[in-house]
Amino acid sequence: MTHFSHKAGILHAEDVAVPTIADAVGTPFYCYSSATMLARYHAYTKALAGLRATVYYAVKANSNLAVIRTFAGAGAGADVVSVGEMQRSLAAGIPADKIVFAGVGKTREELAAALKAGIHQINIESEAELRALSDVAQAIGAKATAGLRVNPDVDARTHAKITTGRKENKFGIDLDEAPRMFTLAASLPGVSMTSLSVHIGSQLTDISPYRDAYARLRDITLELRAAGHRIDHLDLGGGLGIAYDAETPPNLEAYAAIVREQVGDLDCALSFEPGRYLVGDAGILVTRVVYVKQGGEKRFVIADAAMNDLIRPTLYEAYHEIVTVAEANSAASATLGSCDLVGPICESGDYLAKDCALPVVAEGDLLAIRSAGAYGAVMSSTYNSRPLIPEVLVNAGGFAVIRRRQSVEEAMDLEQIPDWLGDPAEPERG
């Protein structure tokens, strides 16, 4: 369920008309629904009832402070992959002991910062990182709580760029290496490792790969216990997808049944790290039509949003449903036929949709790009010197700007011209 719908012919976010927000903040902008985020979170936790389960919101999906704060208020922890995400989570009210730090390239400085903050767990993805963590912990007089991310070599059957559980992926270590890693961890003075972690990919709508991955996780847990290692926590990752197009969204109860079937009797605390599932459908990108252009064989709708605002179509060949903010009436129900929705960026790859069928639109019309709450604003850039756009959070009948529109001057303030190049305000002397 999402909370974006047309009422009296106008798209609303919960009880707020989208044109009202557009008038207040300009276009383009991201708009998020609090109600959708919380409904998804509560549905997720309800499905896991009866398990010793904690949900850690995967901050990389959408790291806006207000979004993190929304989940913090509901009781979620945070799954982070950088010190920046850790600092955001702490600032948004996530307790340090409800933060898990993942990622393959954590530096010694990041490991030290995480230990000093007192986070719940650091997930290890290589022998070098394990040794580094022990060294850092010793240096600051700490004992690091660690988990080992194992690679089950399971095909998540998702896009190649977001699958993470195959042997050729950069994440985790081979299952066969787990006993040696636990033996090594037991010999290192700065680490306590009693947890296993697995994450096979993102945007899974077919949940059967989870059964395979969790079955292998179960086997290695029992093997490690038989060898004398204590395993009291399993981090089961995230990755549940959403329906961008014609996909059938995953069934939470069926997913939870797989969890119970495979690991429910192992007497372990369980961690889950959904991101896209919680926020993907909770956001839209609103853009305004600038021009409609007829090419030689194709029609282009040129909008004021671009690939720097939403890169998923270009990066992942991703599909997003696009709707007009004002519904077309029956007299104007004809479509433009096949057209591309593109932006002003100077790249042929700058598109938001290819070969899509839009209703008849004109300059100034508002369009909404659905399912843009995950990996949208968080992956945006200032390419072509286009400032970052606003993010807006709706709560019932009210809304707030949770990231203001950046100005060109603010972006340039991060840069400086060295003295030897001279002052651009002074005229050149020949």
Side-chain angles (χ1 to χ4, degrees):
M1 177 183 182
T2 70
H3 293 78
F4 297 98
S5 62
H6 284 87
K7 302 176 183 179
I10 299 297
L11 184 66
H12 281 61
E14 300 187 23
D15 295 325
V16 180
V18 169
T20 299
I21 304 174
D23 290 343
V25 306
T27 57
F29 65 91
Y30 278 96
C31 178
Y32 309 129
S33 161
S34 300
T36 301
M37 288 189 280
L38 291 173
R40 287 291 176 89
Y41 175 79
H42 291 307
Y44 204 102
T45 56
K46 181 180 178 181
L48 300 172
L51 296 168
R52 285 200 289 143
T54 302
V55 173
Y56 296 82
Y57 167 58
V59 172
K60 67 178 181 177
N62 186 322
S63 62
N64 187 285
L65 289 172
V67 171
I68 303 171
R69 179 61 184 163
T70 297
F71 292 117
D79 164 48
V80 306
V81 294
S82 71
V83 161
E85 288 187 352
M86 182 187 78
Q87 292 174 334
R88 282 178 170 271
S89 299
L90 292 169
I94 301 282
D97 62 3
K98 292 186 76 173
I99 296 177
V100 172
F101 197 161
V104 301
K106 299 181 284 293
T107 66
R108 288 174 179 256
E109 291 76 17
E110 287 182 309
L111 294 172
L115 291 173
K116 290 174 182 177
I119 71 167
H120 173 60
Q121 180 169 294
I122 297 172
N123 285 341
I124 296 300
E125 303 210 20
S126 68
E127 179 179 337
E129 185 182 25
L130 177 59
R131 292 183 182 276
L133 177 60
S134 180
D135 291 345
V136 170
Q138 272 193 290
I140 64 175
K143 186 89 166 181
T145 299
L148 180 68
R149 179 169 176 175
V150 292
N151 188 328
D153 195 27
V154 169
D155 185 357
R157 303 172 198 167
T158 186
H159 193 284
K161 292 180 181 178
I162 52 177
T163 185
T164 60
R166 300 297 301 275
K167 280 184 178 293
E168 63 268 22
N169 298 138
K170 71 178 183 179
F171 300 97
I173 63 123
D174 288 346
L175 278 173
D176 293 343
E177 287 290 298
R180 184 181 67 82
M181 290 287 286
F182 269 83
T183 298
L184 173 60
S187 72
L188 297 175
V191 175
S192 172
M193 192 159 74
T194 63
S195 175
L196 286 164
S197 170
V198 67
H199 178 68
I200 60 173
S202 183
Q203 183 52 18
L204 276 75
T205 53
D206 175 4
I207 62 174
S208 60
Y210 287 112
R211 176 174 282 107
D212 297 336
Y214 295 164
R216 296 179 189 184
L217 188 65
R218 175 189 181 85
D219 290 344
I220 194 62
T221 298
L222 295 175
E223 179 182 339
L224 289 168
R225 284 177 172 176
H229 299 290
R230 181 166 66 94
I231 308 294
D232 56 18
H233 173 231
L234 298 178
D235 182 336
L236 302 182
L240 285 178
I242 61 175
Y244 286 102
D245 190 3
E247 307 98 329
T248 299
N251 182 284
L252 284 174
E253 287 69 27
Y255 169 71
I258 290 174
V259 173
R260 291 185 174 90
E261 166 195 310
Q262 296 299 329
V263 301
D265 63 343
L266 293 179
D267 192 28
C268 286
L270 303 176
S271 297
F272 298 85
E273 294 153 359
R276 185 196 315 263
Y277 185 82
L278 300 182
V279 295
D281 285 330
I284 58 174
L285 172 59
V286 179
T287 183
R288 194 179 295 276
V289 175
V290 179
Y291 300 114
V292 178
K293 171 184 173 180
Q294 179 63 54
E297 296 182 356
K298 179 171 283 191
R299 186 176 286 112
F300 297 92
V301 175
I302 304 169
D304 59 5
M307 63 180 281
N308 73 299
D309 304 308
L310 179 65
I311 199 171
R312 293 192 72 255
T314 298
L315 182 61
Y316 300 124
E317 302 85 38
Y319 170 88
H320 288 261
E321 181 186 6
I322 299 165
V323 298
T324 53
V325 169
E327 280 187 315
N329 59 39
S330 57
S333 59
T335 70
L336 284 176
S338 180
C339 64
D340 288 1
L341 178 62
V342 302
I345 291 287
C346 191
E347 294 279 350
S348 296
D350 175 30
Y351 62 89
L352 300 169
K354 278 186 168 291
D355 300 318
C356 63
L358 288 176
V360 172
V361 293
E363 294 178 17
D365 286 355
L366 292 173
L367 302 175
I369 301 168
R370 290 187 178 272
S371 304
Y375 307 107
V378 76
M379 296 181 78
S380 59
S381 75
T382 57
Y383 186 44
N384 279 192
S385 291
R386 288 169 51 87
L388 299 176
I389 65 176
E391 294 172 89
V392 174
L393 182 63
V394 172
N395 183 29
F399 69 91
V401 175
I402 58 174
R403 182 181 75 180
R404 60 184 170 80
R405 189 181 302 278
Q406 185 186 47
S407 69
V408 174
E409 291 74 19
E410 287 171 326
M412 290 194 298
D413 281 345
L414 298 172
E415 306 167 27
Q416 63 182 27
I417 298 174
D419 293 341
W420 71 78
L421 291 176
D423 186 346
E426 296 182 1
E428 290 186 18
R429 294 190 176 95

